Amino acid sequence: MSKLYIEGGYPLAGEVSVAGNKNAALPILAATLLTDDEIILKNLPDILDVRRMVRLLECIGKKTEYKSRNIIAISGAVSNNKLPEEHAGQLRASILLLAGLLLKTGEAFLFPPGGCVIGRRKVDSHFEMVEDFGGEVVSDHSGFHITLGEQKAASIFLKEVSVTATENVMILAAGIKGRSVIQNAACEPHVVDLAEFLVKLGAKIEGAGTNRIMIEGSHCLTGAEHSITPDPIEAGTFAIAAAATGGEMVIHNAMKEHFYSMGRMLRSMNVMFKFQDEKTLHLFPSKLEIKEKKLQVGLWPNFPTDLMSPAIVLATQAKGSILCHDWMFESRMFFVDKLNIMGADIIQADPHRVIVNGPTKLYGQHLTSPDIRAGIALVIAALAAQGNSVIDNIETVDRGYEEIENRLNHLGSKVRREEHHH
Ligand code: UD1
């Protein structure tokens, strides 16, 4: 396990560039199963989840070669459809390999997927859609055996607006001749990025970014080159870190089109910012104050659940009270205990709701990161706090944030990593 030692109290200031979107990279890597031709992916974030997904691709027969830390070439055929449990279990997004495995081998064996423990994250939507395509799912104590016989286009109504289920349907439909339709589809920027990638392989797709997506697939998809779009959550995270520590920051590759609800959240806490152009966000030191008394997550383009934990930290530094509500995940909010130990004044109303009263001074503490987003939120809290903090289990943060300590130190923080090898 690795730890970060953080000396708090220094404003994060300067310039930073947002990395490629984790949640776009993962489905796009999974979609490389669709063709044996060479795929070149650029702007791939160098994060633990991506490295784990690349390792899974290798386990099932794909050849992968890093050309640089953010560029990878992938080619070759799928030769094996059993994901090794020790690797698949670490990565919930391994479920995204389902579509490609079904197309290439007719069957897939999956273990209960890993990832964050922030709620009862069901995989039902993924299995229901396979059944809608005429496939079958059999489960026992060791996992799931999923088969797909005839490959026939289908009309899918997702029972939940699930991001990865939408992506799995898109990948499956892209490899099946004929016209498939997804209704109640997720609208996230990563869904749009995946669609653009699939189109480069030869699929026809309309409506990505809306809740009705039409996909005309093909048996003969070809190689392509694609650059992963910037990560909206990382952009929002840096913006919050600047605001919470009172720094002036210019964030490159922060896409204006991603900032409707995130920008609204920032304004609702009186954070001063402006877009210099379509992808450069300038944040100014601000007198934080709660202007809207409620912040609620929603389906994109509403406020993203993945930014709720950092937003709660920001609220601890703002004058006033705010109700923060995350209905999606059952366990998102429990990390607020750790903020209270640091000096915050947060009342947990129920598993989905907390009331943050601010501003409060935060003081350095010894903490353990419970999951990726709460982890980065604790890092921000430690940066804003007086004194020294230690944050254990920092691998949870490495899952999604590239070179976090180097990038923060480049912005003037004092963060040091200590690796613990067993
Ligand atoms: C993806 C993201 C993850 C993000 C999540 C929600 C990837 C690899 N991961 O995960 O970072 O936190 O989307 O934006 O892309 N739910 C409902 N009703 C709905 C929709 C969702 O109750 O209409 C619940 C689900 O049961 C689940 C949670 O919300 O517990 C997240 O749903 P889902 O969109 O399936 O998340 P993932 O695709 O796993």
Side-chain angles (χ1 to χ4, degrees):
M1 277 210 312
S2 302
K3 308 169 190 271
L4 289 185
Y5 289 84
I6 301 178
E7 186 183 332
Y10 299 93
L12 277 193
E15 299 194 22
V16 68
S17 189
V18 174
N21 184 348
K22 160 173 107 61
N23 288 348
L26 295 171
I28 288 173
L29 284 166
T32 64
L33 298 191
L34 286 170
T35 175
D36 300 351
D37 293 354
E38 186 175 70
I39 307 266
I40 307 272
L41 298 178
K42 298 182 169 169
N43 203 36
L44 195 65
D46 186 12
I47 53 177
L48 204 52
D49 271 11
V50 160
R51 278 180 253 142
R52 285 174 172 160
M53 184 61 106
V54 168
R55 196 160 54 195
L56 285 173
L57 293 177
E58 287 167 352
C59 290
I60 53 178
K62 299 293 279 187
K63 294 191 176 43
T64 70
E65 186 193 342
Y66 271 96
K67 304 280 182 191
S68 74
R69 89 182 258 143
N70 304 107
I71 302 179
I72 195 168
I74 299 172
S75 61
V78 174
S79 57
N80 156 25
N81 58 14
K82 292 202 178 53
L83 299 175
E85 184 165 15
E86 72 272 24
H87 294 329
Q90 292 174 324
L91 183 66
R92 179 183 153 81
S94 59
I95 187 88
L96 286 164
L97 293 165
L98 174 61
L101 289 173
L102 288 177
L103 286 166
K104 290 295 168 180
T105 71
E107 61 179 349
F109 300 89
L110 295 181
F111 304 101
C116 287
V117 279
I118 47 170
R120 293 178 295 111
R121 307 175 76 188
K122 289 168 285 183
V123 279
D124 297 8
S125 310
H126 297 258
F127 293 162
E128 268 194 28
M129 74 87 179
V130 173
E131 286 161 356
D132 289 341
F133 273 98
E136 223 186 317
V137 180
V138 179
S139 64
D140 64 20
H141 59 281
S142 62
F144 307 98
H145 181 211
I146 306 117
T147 48
L148 181 68
E150 197 187 353
Q151 297 186 1
K152 240 175 71 194
S155 181
I156 305 293
F157 180 88
L158 288 178
K159 73 165 185 178
E160 267 184 8
V161 187
S162 163
V163 175
T164 48
T166 300
E167 293 161 349
N168 245 336
V169 182
M170 289 167 74
I171 299 170
L172 193 57
I176 294 177
K177 203 160 173 288
R179 188 186 157 99
S180 294
V181 177
I182 315 174
Q183 293 198 70
N184 214 20
C187 304
E188 266 72 1
H190 13 292
V191 171
V192 177
D193 206 6
L194 172 65
E196 281 168 12
F197 174 70
L198 294 173
V199 166
K200 287 180 185 169
L201 300 190
K204 289 200 185 81
I205 300 183
E206 278 167 27
T210 74
N211 65 2
R212 186 176 188 280
I213 306 178
M214 192 286 296
I215 301 136
E216 211 170 304
S218 153
H219 291 314
C220 29
L221 298 170
T222 57
E225 193 176 303
H226 185 74
S227 185
I228 310 285
T229 50
D231 194 327
I233 301 301
E234 192 179 86
T237 303
F238 278 118
I240 288 173
T245 60
E248 181 168 354
M249 196 187 286
V250 174
I251 308 179
H252 301 282
N253 285 328
M255 313 300 281
K256 194 173 175 185
E257 61 183 306
H258 292 164
F259 263 80
Y260 292 109
S261 63
M262 296 193 294
R264 195 186 169 105
M265 180 281 292
L266 291 171
R267 272 192 295 276
S268 80
M269 298 200 200
N270 206 35
V271 177
M272 302 295 160
F273 66 91
K274 72 162 194 269
F275 273 89
Q276 291 177 351
D277 57 40
E278 292 306 303
K279 46 186 208 168
T280 312
L281 173 61
H282 192 149
L283 283 124
F284 304 97
S286 313
K287 200 166 168 7
L288 301 176
E289 199 181 326
I290 301 298
K291 304 266 193 181
E292 273 180 48
K293 292 209 164 285
K294 182 171 172 186
L295 177 66
Q296 184 173 38
V297 304
L299 303 171
W300 190 271
N302 289 299
F303 187 71
T305 174
D306 285 347
L307 217 52
M308 180 50 105
S309 311
I312 289 172
V313 174
L314 184 60
T316 68
Q317 301 306 295
K319 183 167 173 245
S321 297
I322 182 170
L323 171 69
C324 297
H325 180 200
D326 187 328
W327 53 267
M328 281 194 204
F329 288 108
E330 285 83 11
S331 322
R332 174 78 77 198
M333 299 300 198
F334 291 124
F335 88 106
V336 300
D337 276 359
K338 298 172 199 280
L339 297 178
N340 282 340
I341 293 170
M342 296 178 83
D345 176 2
I346 306 175
I347 299 161
Q348 177 136 22
D350 67 30
H352 292 280
R353 290 174 186 77
V354 299
I355 298 157
V356 187
N357 300 308
T360 47
K361 269 212 166 77
L362 301 179
Y363 298 91
Q365 283 290 342
H366 192 143
L367 306 159
T368 299
S369 165
D371 67 71
I372 169 176
R373 306 304 175 189
I376 196 73
L378 292 179
V379 170
I380 297 170
L383 293 168
Q386 284 180 12
N388 297 315
S389 295
V390 184
I391 304 180
D392 289 329
N393 198 23
I394 216 66
E395 286 78 5
T396 49
V397 174
D398 296 333
R399 281 188 46 209
Y401 295 88
E402 181 175 308
E403 287 215 294
I404 189 66
E405 70 274 26
N406 295 343
R407 293 161 82 204
L408 291 175
N409 287 342
H410 186 73
L411 292 165
S413 72
K414 297 206 184 303
V415 182
R416 182 170 60 80
R417 177 181 294 253
E418 208 175 276
E419 304 270 2
H420 286 250
H421 301 286
H422 294 291

